[in-house]
Structure formats: C-alpha cells, structure tokens
C-alpha cells in the first residue's frame, strides 16, 4: 500500500527536512501561516479590522492559541461577506453564489483569486494520484461548464500528470450517463453519492454488466457506508471519499488506499473540531462541528469558519504510513438531526444509509410537519419500483419505539430521473413548536429581561398579525412565534444576530434562522411591508425591553447613545424602515401599531 501522496505534497510545500519531526514541522508552519493570514486580513479587510481588533497575531505562540480567535458563521458570509475581501476587485477571478436554507434566504458569495484556485488545482493534481495514474480517463459527474468550477479545476489537475478529465456534469438522465460510461470506459468516476448509487441500481435493474471502473471518488455530500459498499460489491471497484466545500475552494481532504479518514490540505487549511454547544475545541476522537481556517487564501480568507458538518479528528497511525492527524469520516450535517417530542431522533445521514440502498429508491426528499405529539414525517420518493411498505419499514426501524411520528410516503415510479435540481438530499423541518423554542431560549439565553422581551415581541407581532385585514398577506403564526421568541437568543454575544442564527439553524429552524440573521437590519422594500418579518421587526422596534416606546423617541435616544458619525446613517435607516412598516400597517388596518402593543402590555400586567 502506497503512502498518501497528499502528505508528500504537504512536506514538499512547507519545506520539511527528512530529519525533522513531520508533525512538529507542520505545526510550526501553520502557526506562521496563520499569523501572515491575520496580518493580511486585518490590513486589507473591513470585516477583519473590526472582528480582530485587539488581537496581536504575534502573540499567537502555540496551536492552542487559534481558539482565541472569533468564529465566522454562514450568516456572516451572507451579511458581511463582501467586507471580507482582501484584494482589489480586479484580482477576483471567480465569484461563487450559494443559496442559503429557507425560502427567503440571501445567498452566500465566496470570492477567489487565480492564485487561490491554483492551490486547489495543485491539491487535485497530487490528491487524484491516490487512485489515478497517467493515461487514465476520469469521468467527472460534477459541474464543470464554467472556468473555476469543480469539474474545470479537477480536469486541470488531472492533466498535470497525464490523466484525462471528461466533464459530463451532474447526472440528469441515468440512461444517457450509462451510455457515456460504456462509450468512454473511464478508469475512475467522480460523483455525488446518491447519483452514484442510482447509477448502480439502474444498471442492476436493466441487467447491465458492471463497467470496467477501477475507482469511484464520492464527494460533495454525506457518503453513506452502505452506498460505498453497494458500489464496491456491484462494480468491484475501490470507493474513495473526498471532503471539501466551496468555502475551502472546493478541495479539502481525500482518503488513501487504506480508506481510514481524509488526508488533509494541511499546508492550506487548518481544521478543528469544536463542541456545537460550548464552542470549545474538542480533542481527537470526540465528535463535534468541523471548523476550518484558510492559510494561503488571498482573496477572501476565512478564519475559524463553522462548516455545520459533524466529524472528529484522529491521530491513529494510518496503515498507509501517513504520519499527520486525519479527519475521520464526516458524519453529516448538524442541522440535519431532527428531534421528536417523544424523545426520538432521526438524522439525514441515517436516512441516507437505509434508503439509498433500497433497490427501488433512486432519489427522495423528506419534510417534517406538525406539533409536539402530532408530528408527521412526509417522504417523496422517486424510484424504479418497490413498495411504500418497504420504505416505511426502513424509516420506522431507525426510530425504534421512541417518539414515533406519523409517516406519509408518496412514491413516484420513474425509471430515469431525479428531482429537478436535486444533487444533494433535501430535508426540511416545518415544525415551529412554542415549547421547543422556549427550551432553546432558556438553554442559550440566561438574561431574564431578554427572555421577557423576546416573549413580548412574539406576542406583539401576533397581535399585529391578528389585526390585518383578510386581503393582507396570510400570516404564518408559527413562524412569527418562533422568530419572536428566538430573535435575541444570542443577545450579549459578538455579532449576536449571526450567532443567534447559527444556534437556531443548528436546531433545524432554517427559515427562522434566516430572519434572525437580519433581524436588526430588516429591509421592507425587499421583504415586504406587511410580511411576518415586517411585523416582527416593527414589534421589536416598538418594544424597548419590556416597555413600548415611540419610534421618534427611541431614535433620538439611540443617536445620543451612539454619537459616532459613521453610526448615524444605519441607525436612521433602521428607524425609517420601522416607520414605513408602521405606516403600511395603519393604512391596512386603520389602527396604530403602538397602541396595539400598549394594549397587549396592559393585558399582560406591564
């Protein structure tokens, strides 16, 4: 068994000498690279000048000192991503726009220079030699039509050692992709897990002989062990895994022939695993949220970015002879763990493990509805055959006897096709339960005054919604309740809107998290003047703690509290937006919003 080529690549890049202890050399290199990144980010980025204020990079002397730096969340990328750019705009070679969860989520935009992308091409060049040799053809079932896309970068990396990348793009038609496999006879296929599993099942269904594929590389989503086993047993190939994401410029780590975890881009990326609840760094072997810091990125460095993925580090020696710590198998998304009122639990990863290997299942989506004690799990399955009962039994086996929701399965039998646009698993939690929200609020928010304010904002927004005429937008009262109760869940923490959104998203409330991320700066011109979010924003602005206040009065007081010239414009904009919502409410109902809030406070005894 050959040693992972990724480690040799890292050794050469950092200039480690043969007589040096490799782990010590990597630790020293990463600390120096981190300091250089911090100096670059603080000097060039508006965002980092603010968030790293008071931190002297030269005082970071041990790897443990990385934990002194603040986290970046996906919400930070949405709200302030452009402020993280550290180079002139004409040096940006590629911008990737990613949709966020929820129906109204603003997109994330990630910015790369040509130099940033070159580092990924270099990683793909050396990482792909794990399973590919010169002269091999590699069929890439990933996006690749644009320069800088994953298929393009991968093809460029393959070309450097004499292999050929054939960019097919994601599977749209299973039949057409099989024809491509038969025609091109690739030695290696790169694919998303559920699409690779579908290709195998489609071939079995039609009696196709296994293709002459030596290796399959699965990437871009959770890789179920059952899918890897299905591929290896049916096609007789070795199944490798790659871990990466757009935020890491697509490359991250890849398994070696031992298949015992990912050998990482340690010269470019610094991985940590932290407790999602305590935000503390966890030792090797303990499972938590994967956090990544970029060490060589110039365009948009990311410092302690919370990925939302679950995993653990391992220091166990790799059978391939590798000596660096590795990232063990990624266990899925933290936000795709769903808890039920009766105590049961279900994860997207566990569902993939059982459903994607059922012979008749090509693709599926899951949605969760209802209230405590009356929850409904709804599945929409596309497949080649099989029974609804078979699918139901597989799902219920995961729940055992605990907190079972009612199950609904809609099966659509189509030989060739996925859900439109679905490359990864679709899991949506539509539950908004007051009890669950209160438990979250009390768990993370320890200020009695803040909790009272949150409860009043929820009640106030509901009271405003009840006054709207039938011709106005139909109010989603569950969304209003959850968003009101949780909007200040992280009050008192740095960037409390982004941090609160992260906490709430991690517990499955994606739409609520989207609102929390922008609740201090809601724009009615974009989100609506009588929407649920607008009513929440107005109630929050009318309530100063546990008392109602006139907007003009609050504006004057806020300007006195923050006299800095640069603060005046955003403060006035916030209050102007609240006044515009109040005017729209008055026009729609004929009632003054503050008087409704005052009536609520009187009823509640305030």
């Amino acid at each position: 068994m050959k040693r992972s080529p990724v480690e040799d690549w890292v050794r050469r890049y950092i200039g480690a000498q043969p007589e040096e202890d490799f782990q010590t050399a990597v630790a020293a290199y990463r600390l120096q690279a981190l300091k250089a990144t911090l100096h670059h980010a603080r000097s060039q980025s508006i965002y980092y000048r603010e968030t790293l204020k008071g931190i002297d990079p030269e005082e970071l002397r041990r790897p443990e000192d990385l934990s002194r730096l603040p986290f970046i969340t996906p919400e930070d990328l949405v709200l302030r991503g452009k402020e993280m750019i550290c180079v002139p705009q004409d040096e940006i070679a590629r911008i990737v726009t990613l949709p966020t969860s929820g129906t109204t989520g603003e997109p994330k935009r990630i910015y790369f220079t040509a130099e940033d992308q070159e580092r990924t091409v270099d990683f793909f060049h050396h990482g792909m030699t794990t399973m590919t040799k010169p002269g091999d053809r590699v069929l890439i079932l990933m996006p690749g039509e644009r320069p800088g896309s994953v298929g393009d970068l991968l093809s460029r990396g393959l070309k450097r050692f004499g292999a050929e990348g054939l960019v097919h793009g994601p599977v749209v038609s299973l039949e057409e992709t099989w024809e491509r496999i038969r025609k091109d006879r690739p030695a290696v296929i790169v694919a998303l897990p559920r699409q690779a599993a579908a290709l195998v099942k489609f071939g079995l269904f039609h009696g196709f002989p296994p293709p002459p594929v030596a290796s399959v590389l699965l990437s871009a989503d959770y890789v179920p062990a059952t899918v890897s086993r299905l591929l290896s047993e049916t096609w007789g190939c070795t199944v490798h895994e790659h871990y990466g994401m757009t935020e890491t410029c697509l490359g991250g780590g890849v398994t070696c022939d031992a298949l015992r975890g990912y050998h990482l881009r340690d010269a470019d990326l610094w991985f940590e695993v932290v407790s999602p609840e305590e935000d503390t760094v966890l030792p090797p072997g303990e499972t938590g949220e994967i956090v990544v810091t970029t060490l060589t990125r110039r365009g948009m460095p990311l410092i302690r970015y919370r990925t939302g993925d679950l995993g653990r580090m391992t220091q166990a020696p790799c059978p391939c002879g590798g000596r660096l710590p590795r990232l063990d198998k990624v266990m899925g998304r933290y936000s795709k763990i769903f808890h039920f009122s009766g105590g049961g639990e279900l994860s997207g990863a566990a569902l993939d493990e059982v459903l994607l290997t059922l012979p008749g299942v090509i693709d599926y989506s899951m949605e969760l509805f209802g209230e405590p004690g009356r929850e409904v799990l709804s599945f929409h399955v596309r497949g080649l055959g099989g029974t609804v009962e078979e699918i139901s039994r597989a799902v219920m086996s995961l729940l055992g006897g605990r907190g079972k929701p009612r199950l609904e399965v809609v099966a659509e039998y189509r030989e060739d096709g996925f859900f439109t646009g679905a490359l990864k698993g679709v899991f949506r939690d539509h539950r908004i339960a007051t009890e669950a929200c209160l438990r979250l609020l009390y768990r993370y928010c320890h200020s009695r005054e803040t909790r009272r304010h949150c409860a009043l904002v929820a009640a106030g927004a509901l009271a405003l919604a009840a006054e709207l005429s039938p011709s106005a937008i139909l109010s989603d009262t569950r969304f209003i309740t959850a968003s009101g109760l949780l909007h200040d869940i992280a009050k008192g923490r740095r960037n409390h809107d982004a941090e609160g959104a992260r906490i709430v998203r991690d517990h499955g409330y994606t739409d609520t998290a989207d609102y929390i991320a922008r609740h201090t700066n809601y724009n009615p011109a974009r989100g609506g003047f009588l929407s649920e979010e607008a009513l929440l924003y107005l109630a929050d602005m009318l309530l100063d703690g546990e008392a109602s206040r006139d907007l003009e009065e609050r504006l004057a007081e806020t300007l006195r509290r923050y006299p800095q010239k640069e603060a005046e414009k955003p403060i006035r904009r916030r209050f102007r937006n609240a006044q515009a919502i109040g005017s729209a409410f008055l026009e729609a109902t004929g009632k003054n919003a503050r008087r409704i809030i005052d009536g609520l406070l009187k009823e509640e005894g305030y």
Side-chain angles (χ1 to χ4, degrees):
M1 180 185 301
K2 67 179 180 181
R3 185 171 60 213
S4 167
V6 174
E7 288 208 2
D8 292 334
W9 173 66
V10 171
R11 180 187 289 276
R12 288 193 299 272
Y13 186 80
I14 70 172
Q17 299 303 310
E19 65 274 10
E20 283 186 281
D21 178 79
F22 194 20
Q23 289 195 34
T24 302
V26 169
Y29 162 83
R30 290 199 304 196
L31 202 55
Q32 290 304 119
L34 174 65
K35 292 178 183 180
T37 294
L38 294 177
H39 282 300
H40 173 61
R42 289 205 317 173
S43 65
Q44 302 298 324
S45 156
I46 298 171
Y47 175 84
Y48 287 120
R49 265 198 299 276
E50 176 187 318
T51 59
L52 298 176
K53 186 177 181 180
I55 295 175
D56 182 357
E58 298 306 318
E59 292 182 356
L60 305 180
R61 297 184 175 88
R62 303 174 304 152
E64 294 80 6
D65 291 340
L66 177 62
S67 64
R68 293 169 51 189
L69 305 177
F71 294 110
I72 293 175
T73 68
E75 287 71 32
D76 291 324
L77 292 185
V78 171
L79 296 171
R80 304 189 63 186
K82 202 165 185 179
E83 297 176 7
M84 299 178 192
I85 299 175
C86 292
V87 296
Q89 283 289 340
D90 60 3
E91 292 187 27
I92 297 297
R94 179 162 169 77
I95 303 172
V96 180
T97 300
L98 300 172
T100 55
S101 300
T103 56
T104 59
E106 295 289 328
K108 290 185 290 186
R109 289 186 172 87
I110 318 295
Y111 301 80
F112 304 105
T113 65
E115 181 183 354
D116 298 334
Q117 292 182 303
E118 167 57 29
R119 290 299 302 152
T120 297
V121 172
D122 202 31
F123 166 67
F124 285 162
H125 165 194
H126 293 90
M128 286 300 292
T129 61
T130 302
M131 69 215 72
T132 315
K133 61 184 185 298
D136 280 348
R137 309 183 96 190
V138 179
L139 184 62
I140 303 170
L141 305 181
M142 298 274 187
E145 68 281 0
R146 295 181 180 179
S149 61
V150 62
D152 173 59
L153 299 182
L154 188 53
S155 294
R156 287 158 58 185
L158 290 164
K159 186 177 181 180
R160 291 184 180 182
F161 65 91
E164 182 183 6
L166 308 171
V167 179
H168 173 79
V171 178
V172 176
S173 164
L174 292 164
E175 184 176 2
E176 289 178 4
T177 305
W178 261 99
E179 283 297 320
R180 181 75 185 267
I181 292 171
R182 283 193 284 258
K183 173 188 172 185
D184 292 330
R185 299 177 64 81
V188 179
I189 293 177
V190 181
L192 286 99
R194 67 177 48 212
Q195 296 207 337
L199 284 167
V200 171
K201 286 182 276 189
F202 188 81
L204 289 171
F205 183 78
H206 290 282
F208 297 157
V213 174
S215 298
V216 172
L217 177 64
L218 300 179
S219 185
D221 201 2
Y222 171 71
V223 180
T226 49
V227 168
S228 295
R229 190 161 56 249
L230 174 69
L231 280 159
S232 63
E233 292 177 356
T234 307
W235 285 1
C237 60
T238 302
V239 181
H240 286 272
E241 295 182 29
H242 169 262
Y243 176 68
M245 63 194 72
T246 302
E247 290 88 338
T248 64
C249 199
L250 303 171
V254 66
T255 56
C256 64
D257 291 336
L259 306 177
R260 300 281 185 85
Y262 313 97
H263 292 268
L264 301 169
R265 292 175 63 183
D266 286 308
D268 295 321
L269 305 170
W270 189 336
F271 286 95
E272 307 169 87
V273 175
V274 304
S275 165
E277 290 82 17
E278 305 296 331
D279 294 343
T280 53
V281 179
L282 297 174
E286 291 193 24
T287 300
E289 182 180 3
I290 298 169
V291 174
V292 64
T293 297
T294 63
L295 299 174
T296 55
R297 282 259 288 279
R298 301 291 296 169
M300 185 185 190
L302 295 181
I303 299 167
R304 303 198 81 200
Y305 176 71
R306 305 189 74 134
T307 66
D309 292 326
L310 287 172
R312 64 187 179 190
M313 298 298 295
T314 176
Q315 288 184 322
C318 184
C320 80
R323 297 165 59 185
L324 296 178
R326 303 180 309 285
L327 181 63
D328 211 346
K329 181 178 177 64
V330 172
M331 303 173 190
R333 301 283 294 171
Y334 189 70
S335 61
K336 291 181 181 178
I337 299 176
F338 307 98
H339 301 273
F340 301 105
S341 56
E345 178 182 293
L346 189 62
S347 71
L351 283 169
D352 277 354
E353 291 284 358
V354 299
L355 291 184
L356 291 184
T357 48
L358 290 178
V361 174
I362 292 294
D363 198 7
Y364 77 91
S365 64
M366 186 215 83
E367 295 183 277
L368 185 54
F369 301 92
E371 298 175 352
R374 294 184 292 176
E375 289 149 321
V376 179
L377 262 176
S378 177
F379 287 86
H380 187 179
V381 179
R382 277 190 176 173
L384 302 166
T387 65
V388 169
E389 290 74 19
E390 179 186 29
I391 296 164
S392 300
R393 282 196 303 270
V395 173
M396 297 310 277
S397 69
L398 296 173
L399 293 169
R402 306 158 299 156
K404 286 187 176 182
R406 182 164 62 87
L407 193 63
E408 294 179 349
V409 178
V410 176
E412 178 184 344
Y413 298 122
R414 249 180 89 187
E415 281 195 14
D416 190 1
F418 294 87
F419 293 117
T420 302
L423 300 183
K424 302 181 182 182
V426 176
F427 305 90
R428 295 192 178 98
D429 188 352
H430 301 285
R431 298 171 300 170
I432 298 294
T434 302
E435 295 88 344
C437 291
L438 286 172
R439 284 197 297 270
L440 271 184
L441 184 62
Y442 274 75
R443 176 179 175 183
Y444 290 99
C445 177
H446 305 296
S447 165
R448 186 178 177 186
E449 291 75 16
T450 299
R451 292 198 299 257
R452 283 180 175 173
H453 170 73
C454 288
L456 286 172
V457 168
L462 287 170
L464 296 176
E467 294 291 341
L468 283 172
S469 65
S471 62
I473 297 172
L474 181 63
S475 297
D476 183 341
T477 56
R478 294 178 180 178
F479 171 80
I480 291 173
T481 300
S483 299
L485 287 174
L486 300 176
H487 76 282
D488 273 345
I489 191 171
K491 191 76 171 179
R493 303 190 192 186
R494 182 193 292 267
N495 297 327
H496 86 278
D497 45 3
E499 179 64 12
R502 181 192 67 79
I503 292 170
V504 172
R505 191 182 307 283
D506 284 347
H507 287 272
Y509 297 122
T510 54
D511 288 346
T512 297
D514 287 340
Y515 171 69
I516 292 172
R518 56 177 174 272
H519 82 273
T520 59
N521 198 26
Y522 176 73
N523 183 354
R526 298 178 67 179
F529 288 85
L530 293 177
S531 66
E532 293 91 342
E533 294 190 3
L535 299 180
L536 284 159
Y537 185 77
L538 180 58
D540 193 18
M541 295 293 284
L542 287 171
L543 282 160
D544 185 8
E546 301 167 44
S548 81
R549 296 282 297 278
D550 179 77
L551 289 175
E552 289 289 347
E553 183 181 321
R554 280 203 72 187
L555 170 60
E557 183 179 315
T558 304
L559 289 173
R560 285 194 297 271
R561 193 183 313 159
Y562 300 100
Q564 301 90 339
K565 186 175 181 180
E566 63 271 18
E568 181 179 354
K569 187 175 180 180
I571 289 172
R572 288 190 180 278
R573 182 176 63 246
R574 291 185 63 217
F575 280 89
R576 190 163 58 247
N577 286 338
Q579 289 166 338
I581 296 168
S583 297
F585 182 84
L586 177 63
E587 184 177 348
T589 65
K591 297 183 179 181
N592 181 284
R594 187 188 171 193
R595 290 180 183 173
I596 293 171
I597 299 293
D598 285 338
L600 171 70
L601 292 173
K602 186 175 181 180
E603 289 178 13
E604 297 289 334
Y606 285 91

